[in-house]
Structures are given as C-alpha cells and as structure tokens.
C-alpha cells in the first residue's frame, strides 16, 4: 500500500534553534501533503497544506514564519520549526493522499524543545 | 464548515465484548468519512472509509461502520474486542472530491480493553 515516511521520529533541540522534519511519499507522487500538530491526549490540528511547486496554505492562527513548509518535489515536503521554543514541543504528523485509498499518515515526529 | 463530534473521550470494554465508538458529523456537502486508529507515539492507521458507495463499510481488524445520513452518524463497531484493540480512535470528515481535501478530526476516543 501507499507509504508515507516521516523523519526523524523524535528530536530534542535547544530553545532558539531550528528543526527540520521530512515527509516523503515512498511509492506514489503527492502534489499535496498535510501537516498536523497533536498536543498530548488531544486530536490532530491541521497546520497547513503543502503544495508542490507553490506556497503552502496555512490554517488560521498558524505562524507562517515560524513553521516554514517547502514542497520542492512530488515526493518530499519539509516542515522547519524556526527559533523553536518549549511551547513548540509537540507531536507533528504529515499526511498525503495517494491516488487510490484514503489519506496515509507518517509515523509522526516527537519534538521536544529544552 | 465541517466538524466531527466523538461522544465519549474514554470507552472501556471487556475482552470479547462489543465495541461501539460514536461519531457524528456536520457537513454542507456529501462527506467522505474515515476512522483512524493511533497507538502511542505513532502515526494514524486507516481502519475504514466511506466515500458515497455502500453505507455499511467493513474495515481492517474486524471493524465496521455504518453511514446514516438521517442521523449524520458514522459509528464504529466491532463484535468482539481484543486486547490489541486498545488504542486511540479518531473519526474524520473531508468534503470529498473536488473539495479542499482537508481532513477534520474529532477529539478522539480512547478505548481500553479489560481482560
């Protein structure tokens, strides 16, 4: 089946540094990918829609300059958390929609900012 | 705007008992509906989906769900719970083909299975 690979699975970074998270569609092309954030014991909140070759579409309340999204190819989207602070600590999950079937999710990235 | 309401943030059943997780949706267009399962510190795995075909949808691991337009519901059931079913379950809705394709999730229901 369609697979989305997300890397890294977990990362710890110092406050003020930037962290990049990669999301790859392994066996299909994804012109659109989605980035979600999940707080502990809560649901997934859509942060932005990543569009190949164009700017991402951010949800209301999401800071574009803090959460940089790049979708440079049909199989790769990246989310960079810039100048990370402890409040950015969360579980980030990407998703894509293969040609057949429902949305496929990455395994998530646990970000801890210390 | 679309929305999903999952009734009951926690559901506890005995092993072998019926599992019923409730989901009601709101959508201004014919919806696509999904159930996902999430194990700790992992991504989401699709259990089943409704995309305007048969109203009774069968998924993986013995789960099924029935789309009831009159009740705007898409409840998830499994006849006999197994210990391995313990996880977090999310119902989600999208506006289907031609729409934004964004998924809107419910708040989730944590299923506990007691031996």
């Amino acid at each position: 089946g369609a697979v989305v690979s997300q890397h890294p699975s977990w990362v710890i970074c110092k406050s003020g540094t930037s962290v990049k998270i990669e999301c790859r569609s392994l066996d299909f092309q994804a012109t659109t990918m989605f980035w979600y954030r999940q707080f502990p014991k809560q649901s997934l909140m859509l942060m932005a829609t990543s569009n190949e070759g164009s700017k991402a579409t951010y949800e209301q309340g999401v800071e574009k300059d803090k959460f940089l999204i790049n979708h440079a190819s049909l199989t790769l989207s990246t989310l960079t958390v810039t100048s990370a602070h402890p409040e950015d600590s969360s579980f980030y999950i990407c998703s894509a929609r293969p040609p057949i079937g429902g949305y496929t999710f990455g395994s998530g990235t646990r970000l801890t900012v210390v | 705007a679309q929305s999903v309401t999952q009734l009951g943030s926690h559901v506890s059943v005995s092993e072998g008992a019926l599992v019923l997780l409730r989901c009601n949706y709101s959508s201004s267009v014919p919806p696509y509906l999904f159930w996902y399962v999430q194990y700790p510190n992992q991504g989401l795995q699709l259990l089943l989906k409704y995309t305007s075909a048969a109203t009774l949808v069968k998924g993986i691991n013995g789960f099924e769900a029935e789309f009831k337009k009159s009740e705007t519901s898409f409840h998830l059931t499994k006849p006999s719970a197994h210990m391995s079913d313990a996880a977090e379950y999310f119902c989600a809705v999208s506006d289907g083909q031609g729409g934004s394709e964004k998924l809107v999730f419910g708040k989730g229901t944590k299923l506990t299975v007691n031996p």
Side-chain angles (χ1 to χ4, degrees):
Chain A
V3 176
V4 170
S5 174
Q6 188 172 343
H7 179 80
S9 300
W10 59 270
V11 58
I12 301 174
C13 71
K14 292 184 177 181
S15 187
T17 62
S18 295
V19 173
K20 180 183 287 187
I21 302 170
E22 293 187 348
C23 182
R24 295 180 184 272
S25 56
L26 297 186
D27 48 5
F28 66 97
Q29 295 182 334
T31 55
T32 303
M33 291 186 175
F34 305 91
W35 287 96
Y36 294 85
R37 182 173 181 176
Q38 186 179 29
F39 291 100
K41 300 182 180 180
Q42 294 189 29
S43 188
L44 283 77
M45 299 299 297
L46 180 65
M47 298 174 65
T49 301
S50 172
N51 304 299
E52 187 270 334
S54 64
K55 293 182 179 180
T57 304
Y58 290 82
E59 295 300 300
Q60 190 173 9
V62 177
E63 297 178 61
K64 301 178 182 181
D65 295 332
K66 166 164 278 297
F67 300 102
L68 299 179
I69 291 174
N70 184 278
H71 196 152
S73 76
L74 288 171
T75 59
L76 174 64
S77 175
T78 61
L79 168 68
T80 301
V81 183
T82 63
S83 187
H85 288 92
E87 57 266 30
D88 299 323
S89 298
S90 192
F91 194 57
Y92 294 88
I93 306 177
C94 69
S95 171
R97 188 171 184 180
I100 298 175
Y103 300 79
T104 300
F105 287 79
S107 56
T109 298
R110 172 73 60 193
L111 170 63
T112 301
V113 184
V114 298
Chain B
Q2 298 166 304
S3 65
V4 172
T5 301
Q6 289 184 240
L7 297 176
S9 57
H10 287 84
V11 170
S12 182
V13 300
S14 298
E15 190 173 19
L18 170 71
V19 175
L20 171 61
L21 304 182
R22 300 178 185 274
C23 172
N24 288 88
Y25 70 91
S26 173
S27 178
S28 58
V29 298
Y32 285 5
L33 293 158
F34 307 81
W35 274 101
Y36 286 89
V37 61
Q38 183 181 36
Y39 296 97
N41 291 312
Q42 294 187 29
L44 278 69
Q45 180 183 11
L46 179 67
L47 284 176
L48 49 82
K49 64 181 187 294
Y50 166 78
T51 56
S52 74
T55 57
L56 181 61
V57 182
K58 294 186 182 298
I60 62 172
N61 302 339
F63 285 95
E64 63 180 38
E66 185 173 8
F67 172 70
K68 292 187 177 181
K69 184 178 180 180
S70 60
E71 300 178 5
T72 61
S73 69
F74 190 58
H75 302 330
L76 181 71
T77 61
K78 182 174 180 177
S80 177
H82 191 273
M83 295 297 290
S84 61
D85 295 327
E88 188 90 22
Y89 291 80
F90 292 96
C91 182
V93 62
S94 77
D95 55 11
Q97 292 183 337
S100 67
E101 300 188 347
K102 293 191 297 186
L103 273 179
V104 176
F105 286 87
K107 293 187 176 182
T109 298
K110 184 176 182 179
L111 175 65
T112 300
V113 182
N114 303 307

